[in-house]
Amino acid sequence: MNKSGGQPPVAEGRRGFIRKFLAGLIGAVLALIPAGAGLTVLLDPLRRKTSASGAVPVTTLDGLPADGLPHKFAVLATRTDAWNKFTQVPIGAVYLRRLADGKLQAFNVVCPHAGCFVDFVAETGSFLCPCHNSTFTVEGKIADRSSPSPRALDSLEVEVRNDNEVWVKFRNFQAGSAAKIPVA
Amino acid sequence: MKGLLDWLDHRVGFRDLAKEALYENIPGGARWRYVWGSTLTFCLAAQFITGISLWMAYSPSSQTAWESVYFIQDEMTGGWLLRGLHHYTAHVMTVLLVLHLMQVMIDGAYKAPREVNFWFGLALLGLVLGMSLTGYLLPWDQKGYWATKVATNITAIVPLIGPALQKIIIGGSEYGHHTLTRFFALHAGVLPAVTTGLVVAHVALFRRHGITAKEPKRKRDAPFWPDQVFQDAVACLAVMATVLFFVLHHSLLGTPGPLGVELGAPADPSEQFSAARPDWYFLFLFQLLKYFPGETEIWGAIVIPSLVFGVIALMPFLGKWKLGHRFNLGFLGCLLAGAGLLTFAALREDQHNPTYLTAVKRAEVVAARVRELAKAPAGIPAEGAVALLRNDPLTQGPKIFSAQCAGCHRFGGEDGTGKVPNNVQSASDLKGFASREWLAGLLDPARIDSTNYFGATKFKTGKMARFVHEKVAAYPPEKQAKLQQVIAALSAEAQLTSQLAADQRDATDITAGRGWLRDEFACTDCHQFRAKDEDATAPELTGYGSRKWLINFITNPAHADFYGERNERMPQYGEKQILTGQQINLVADWLRGVWYEPAK
């Protein structure tokens, strides 16, 4: 123990200051190396893009009645999940409508409010989200002003190829915003 | 700002806490010999940071562990650095533990009243080694898998509870998903939690008793801050520099190898791995086991290590005797020297062990190959990367060939894996089978009798050999030129990847050759070619050497399309189920040189 009994004297003056400064600096560098490596890996997803590709065949005109009602179809495509690559697996679902005049309409089944799958309720002839009761008309528009969804159902590009095949350009969009922004 | 800090200090008292932490008295002032505890605390903190970061990308199951580590290592930004830091900090920690223990022993810091803290230290030593052991398995590569199997098999020899204990540790009778979930829970949950608690207790007890000052004191007493903190920081910096050196050593020294840590091929329970070794700090135990024959293994694996650990634990009491301290130092010295000698013996033995050296080389090749396949456009299938190797002709072909075909055949004079078999060659050499060069040899009177073609078979005196010796040998130069076209035509049937360019270039020669093959050379007198011929007695030439032809041939060489009843001794590999369909496909693809190659 210190002979005087109290706290021993702290190194002062320029030498003491340099030591304090260097100890702090080295400490900061040492903390930065593992934390920096960890943070880089943690932020790796920001560098990656969605594996969603172009249009994919979803069904045929034969499989889609021209009754103007929405019919739900799974979308199969190649999906890269970190190290795995899956071919022809469900990556989402769409509602397809075929109108009497032959026009086609496609919606992503995901509610733009918070991302639940919306149901089509035959009795009311409209879409209802089971999570927060967002409602949409059969055309996909917001049904009433109290609907929590900030925008209409997300429409998707759809076209008929080779006379019969129905191709949809499937995309997911960011939930919760009034603007329709594709998920990168 | 000051107001806010005052407010906080009133409520949590951090100023007192900082004061207590920083102004502890160091009798005799700061010294370099006191840094070891701090370097270990620093390492532990670094392991927590890097470990939790790795955790965010690691997936413990037998189909995803290797795959996720591969993804961290090769695909994620900075992943190699993160994994390298975690891996080599663990290694450096082992060294620091020994240095810390030595300093404590030499300075007598283990003696009364510090016995309990000494035991805490020993427990921490065990815990850190436990984290090393459990961490070694997590990448689920061949090395970790087979080396850890040795360790868990040792638990089974513990009397009475051994087998049950082993089953609990590995989560079943065999290694699998639950081995990984358990090892991971131990590695990242249980052991770090206990370690943290013990470190807190260790530091608290250390503070309670104060530092064991080295006599004589050279300077005045000084507080921990800033002198000792500065020296500790410099020591930690040296530790980090060492770790970074190892992480980058291949690029710094210009030796071949990856940045960070190597990753072997994915674990495969059906694939022997003769290069399985524990990490270097367990090599002395590994070596020790070699000296205990038969049922005496328990002495080397459990009894002796336990006794040694027991003696170390009793050192605070042994140290009370007159010569106790010297005995303790001597014992520890002998122990470290012994471990060093055993490690040296283990390394030396391996350096002179051709089986081990071949296995290490082979392991590197396979590890590089699986990463090549994992990066291929097809990616890693859901059943895991091990399937990539199992379905790879380049990996499996040579193994099947050496096991099944090299008893008679050769591949470039070897057995396919680079070894020269010690049996006598009694069938053709299949390297370049059905290529123009190979067929030119078959149709060369000087070469057909060599063992590389018909030399060692009954066909040496057969019709084909007679045809080559009598007819081909007498061909005038212009017919020799036509023979080259026949060879090109027949070889084109194989559709070999290596000859694609040549086949396209020589399309007219090939068309001509097909015609000669039927009429002028009369191959179709015995062989069938592009038309049904009930009288054909020799092997089918339609699609000769193509994938389908070769698979059918290996499946059943005694089929009427091939040698029929004249088949000499080649087994009907498919027909008699000696090889599976998949194995035949693999060896056929390998013989034809068809496997995935990354784009240059």
Side-chain angles (χ1 to χ4, degrees):
Chain A
M1 285 306 286
N2 193 326
K3 278 168 197 151
S4 61
Q7 289 286 339
V10 178
E12 294 295 351
R14 193 200 294 176
R15 190 173 151 278
F17 173 76
I18 291 173
R19 294 213 151 193
K20 284 177 189 173
F21 175 75
L22 283 178
L25 185 70
I26 294 171
V29 169
L30 289 178
L32 206 68
I33 293 170
L39 208 63
T40 313
V41 174
L42 180 73
L43 298 181
D44 175 82
L46 293 179
R47 208 174 61 74
R48 296 182 184 277
K49 293 260 179 288
T50 171
S51 60
S53 47
V56 288
V58 169
T59 181
T60 57
L61 287 180
D62 296 328
L64 181 62
D67 54 8
L69 292 175
H71 298 271
K72 195 151 97 180
F73 294 92
V75 176
L76 302 182
T78 300
R79 179 171 139 69
T80 305
D81 184 358
W83 54 86
N84 282 133
K85 196 168 198 176
F86 303 101
T87 44
Q88 288 294 302
V89 289
I91 58 164
V94 289
Y95 278 114
L96 286 178
R97 282 179 78 212
R98 187 176 166 198
L99 306 176
D101 61 1
K103 246 183 75 187
L104 289 176
Q105 220 182 356
F107 303 114
N108 193 324
V109 299
V110 168
C111 177
H113 175 229
C116 301
F117 268 30
V118 296
D119 294 322
F120 181 72
V121 185
E123 291 75 33
T124 59
S126 60
F127 293 100
L128 172 69
C129 179
C131 291
H132 308 102
N133 300 336
S134 291
T135 50
F136 306 91
T137 65
V138 72
E139 284 89 23
K141 298 193 179 83
I142 293 174
D144 69 276
R145 288 174 59 193
S146 64
S147 177
S149 178
R151 64 171 190 265
L153 282 179
D154 295 314
S155 58
L156 298 166
E157 286 173 40
V158 57
E159 61 176 1
V160 177
R161 294 188 190 176
N162 305 322
D163 296 334
N164 196 27
E165 295 162 15
V166 180
W167 288 61
V168 174
K169 193 171 175 194
F170 185 77
R171 277 281 177 282
N172 283 311
F173 300 90
Q174 281 177 26
S177 74
K180 191 176 149 191
I181 306 162
V183 175
Chain B
M1 188 68 192
K2 192 179 176 296
L4 188 70
L5 290 178
D6 285 345
W7 182 88
L8 199 64
D9 191 33
H10 269 124
R11 276 135 195 99
V12 298
F14 70 88
R15 284 199 178 111
D16 280 349
L17 216 65
K19 206 170 161 187
E20 204 179 314
L22 290 174
Y23 294 101
E24 188 216 8
N25 182 41
I26 314 275
R31 295 188 70 150
W32 289 106
R33 63 192 307 133
Y34 303 150
V35 300
W36 303 117
S38 294
T39 58
L40 280 165
T41 316
F42 164 65
C43 284
L44 198 67
Q47 292 301 69
F48 271 86
I49 296 169
T50 51
I52 290 172
S53 305
L54 284 167
W55 187 345
M56 294 195 192
Y58 176 71
S59 174
S61 85
S62 50
Q63 266 106 51
T64 60
W66 185 91
E67 291 72 9
S68 59
V69 175
Y70 153 78
F71 199 71
I72 293 169
Q73 178 76 30
D74 282 15
E75 302 292 335
M76 296 184 85
T77 321
W80 61 270
L81 176 64
L82 181 66
R83 185 165 167 255
L85 287 174
H86 195 70
H87 180 91
Y88 285 114
T89 304
H91 286 218
V92 168
M93 244 180 131
T94 315
V95 177
L96 292 173
L97 279 168
V98 172
L99 290 172
H100 187 41
L101 177 68
M102 281 168 65
Q103 177 249 329
V104 164
M105 293 302 295
I106 292 168
D107 288 358
Y110 62 100
K111 289 193 260 189
R114 298 182 174 85
E115 301 95 323
V116 174
N117 215 18
F118 178 68
W119 294 330
F120 281 177
L122 289 183
L124 282 166
L125 172 76
L127 284 164
V128 171
L129 290 178
M131 286 189 274
S132 296
L133 185 91
T134 47
Y136 200 56
L137 176 74
L138 297 182
W140 203 246
D141 57 355
Q142 283 282 72
K143 190 172 75 165
Y145 180 89
W146 291 101
T148 310
K149 268 207 143 165
V150 174
T152 52
N153 279 334
I154 286 170
T155 55
I157 63 171
V158 174
L160 299 173
I161 58 161
L165 190 65
Q166 184 191 22
K167 221 169 169 175
I168 293 168
I169 291 172
I170 68 174
S173 305
E174 282 90 32
Y175 267 42
H177 293 319
H178 274 175
T179 318
L180 278 166
T181 51
R182 276 164 192 247
F183 269 62
F184 187 49
L186 284 172
H187 181 80
V190 179
L191 296 177
V194 179
T195 302
T196 307
L198 267 181
V199 166
V200 170
H202 196 61
V203 173
L205 275 188
F206 161 71
R207 286 293 173 105
R208 179 184 166 87
H209 297 300
I211 201 159
T212 310
K214 178 70 183 164
E215 300 290 346
K217 298 190 184 93
R218 290 192 298 210
K219 283 183 289 184
R220 286 191 305 157
D221 289 9
F224 185 55
W225 170 258
D227 288 3
Q228 188 65 51
V229 173
F230 171 74
Q231 294 192 357
D232 286 359
V234 171
C236 293
L237 190 66
V239 167
M240 186 44 90
T242 311
V243 170
L244 281 174
F245 168 77
F246 280 110
V247 172
L248 300 169
H249 75 283
H250 283 308
S251 57
L252 289 176
L253 303 176
T255 49
L259 284 166
V261 201
E262 275 144 352
L263 176 64
D268 187 341
S270 65
E271 205 52 55
Q272 185 201 2
F273 188 66
S274 313
R277 294 289 180 272
D279 239 335
W280 60 267
Y281 41 82
F282 285 129
L283 268 183
F284 70 101
L285 282 173
F286 163 84
Q287 182 70 10
L288 188 64
L289 289 187
K290 293 185 190 168
Y291 305 118
F292 291 88
E295 298 249 297
T296 60
E297 185 193 8
I298 190 165
W299 284 89
I302 294 170
V303 179
I304 291 176
S306 304
L307 285 176
V308 166
F309 210 73
V311 171
I312 297 176
L314 290 177
M315 278 183 176
F317 305 121
L318 297 174
K320 283 183 177 168
W321 298 341
K322 202 172 160 200
L323 293 174
H325 183 60
R326 290 191 179 172
F327 167 81
N328 286 343
L329 287 182
F331 186 85
L332 189 72
C334 290
L335 198 65
L336 292 175
L341 274 175
L342 284 169
T343 307
F344 177 74
L347 292 173
R348 206 182 137 76
E349 235 178 82
D350 279 345
Q351 284 319 306
H352 294 91
N353 178 350
T355 314
Y356 172 79
L357 294 175
T358 317
V360 169
K361 262 207 196 111
R362 174 87 195 133
E364 282 167 11
V365 171
V366 179
R369 177 65 181 162
V370 73
R371 280 156 88 162
E372 216 168 71
L373 292 169
K375 287 179 183 55
I380 301 174
E383 62 260 49
V386 74
L388 293 174
L389 286 174
R390 287 181 185 152
N391 297 321
D392 177 32
L394 181 61
T395 308
Q396 302 304 329
K399 283 194 278 192
I400 300 167
F401 188 87
S402 79
Q404 295 290 341
C405 316
C408 304
H409 289 283
R410 288 292 179 276
F411 187 84
E414 296 169 342
D415 70 346
T417 67
K419 273 186 279 195
V420 178
N422 46 19
N423 53 27
V424 179
Q425 181 182 354
S426 60
S428 53
D429 191 311
L430 294 173
K431 185 164 188 183
F433 172 69
S435 67
R436 292 182 189 183
E437 165 55 24
W438 193 89
L439 288 169
L442 181 74
L443 290 161
D444 180 351
R447 284 193 273 171
I448 186 168
D449 286 346
S450 90
T451 49
N452 286 338
Y453 293 99
F454 284 166
T457 70
K458 72 174 183 184
F459 300 110
K460 187 181 180 183
T461 55
K463 275 190 188 170
M464 185 70 196
R466 283 210 304 277
F467 171 79
V468 172
H469 283 301
E470 291 162 13
K471 299 267 176 62
V472 177
Y475 283 164
E478 64 274 17
K479 194 148 180 189
Q480 283 289 352
K482 285 180 185 169
L483 180 67
Q484 295 312 310
Q485 293 178 322
V486 170
I487 288 172
L490 185 55
S491 187
E493 292 291 304
Q495 295 178 312
L496 296 174
T497 330
S498 55
Q499 277 185 183
L500 271 183
D503 285 350
Q504 273 168 9
R505 187 190 61 213
D506 304 334
T508 35
D509 285 342
I510 289 168
T511 318
R514 271 187 210 128
W516 306 135
L517 197 153
R518 277 197 212 98
D519 40 56
E520 196 165 340
F521 286 78
C523 302
T524 44
D525 281 3
C526 304
H527 294 278
Q528 191 166 269
F529 184 64
R530 302 230 164 165
K532 201 76 197 152
D533 180 0
E534 296 298 333
D535 303 329
T537 53
E540 167 82 78
L541 296 184
T542 316
Y544 181 84
S546 65
R547 184 169 199 266
K548 191 174 156 221
W549 187 96
L550 195 54
I551 289 169
N552 287 342
F553 187 93
I554 300 168
T555 304
N556 186 7
H559 187 277
D561 283 347
F562 303 111
Y563 287 118
E565 286 170 359
R566 297 186 307 124
N567 180 40
E568 193 184 1
R569 51 201 144 88
M570 176 152 164
Q572 297 161 279
Y573 283 104
E575 202 68 16
K576 303 276 188 210
Q577 297 182 4
I578 301 165
L579 290 175
T580 64
Q582 168 71 346
Q583 286 174 312
I584 293 174
N585 294 347
L586 287 167
V587 79
D589 283 339
W590 174 68
L591 283 170
R592 299 182 68 255
V594 178
W595 54 73
Y596 171 75
E597 283 287 353
K600 293 261 153 58

